[in-house]
Amino acid sequence: MDLHGVLEKVKSLARRAGEYQLSHFRFLDHGSGDAKTEMEYVSHVDVESEHLLRDGLLQIIPEADFFGEETLQNRGTGYTWVVDPLDGTTNFLSGLDHWSISVALLHGDEILLSVILKPCNDETFCAIRNLGAYHNNQRMKPVPPLPLSQALIGTGFPYRSPDTSEAFFSCAREVLYASRGIRRTGSAALDLCYVAAGFLQGFFEVDLMPYDAAGALLFLRETGCGLSEFSGKPYSLFSSRSLVAGFPQTWETLQEICRRHYGDGF
């Protein structure tokens, strides 16, 4: 398979979806969207974006399965597209210009290529396994070791996981005063890309969905970032409940802090 050719088609398709999203951005009523679960929303823009992406991706590789956020969630042992059509729906519905489109191609459990696009400024991350990661067509450099005290950390509030709220806030308090600060932007896909690019230097969150993380995992691996569960076990896209990532040194220290607050079950 010509993965370079596939990557270019995926980038073009993501831009089409981004143009569609931008045509609706800040034209929807405040408070619009339907609640899928408590504090988790979906709009017709999410659903139509996924239809657009699914139809286009299955033309690129007709035999592939499709695992999306809003429609189909099929996964086999061959090729699978893992897609978040609009990561940051609450931002989008509120008029905040920070959301992304995330597409990853897997073969079994192996991520072959990824594209993540921020439509508002056409910021583009793309990668092919073992061939490096790129930000706006510039190859991303391997990340250097960095102590947590010099790192800016991304995270997400545990709205899906109220059972972890006490652990989260005690952990966040320790991380806040051990680092340069914490940011919660509302798009885990972009947060993880920003770690790989060096704009953030660490990240932790519980109960991310496969479509939240799949696209960005390849960028972390291609730039040499550390990645694991809070317990230190290897991160598994479809089964792990926690994810901690970052520059060497930052990642190790952040992982130990998370393990101490959440326990070995995470």
Side-chain angles (χ1 to χ4, degrees), residues 98-115:
H98 191 80
W99 78 88
S100 63
I101 296 164
S102 176
V103 179
L105 176 63
L106 278 63
H107 189 266
D109 291 327
E110 185 177 272
I111 303 171
L112 298 182
L113 64 80
S114 297
V115 172

Side-chain angles (χ1 to χ4, degrees), residues 18 29 44 48 76-77 87 105 107 121 134 143 168-169 197 208 219 233 243 252:
D29 292 335
H44 73 277
E48 290 304 316
T77 57
D87 184 45
L105 176 63
H107 189 266
N121 62 357
Y134 290 80
V143 299
F168 169 79
F169 285 109
L208 291 172
F219 307 118
K233 295 178 182 177
L243 185 154
E252 288 92 341

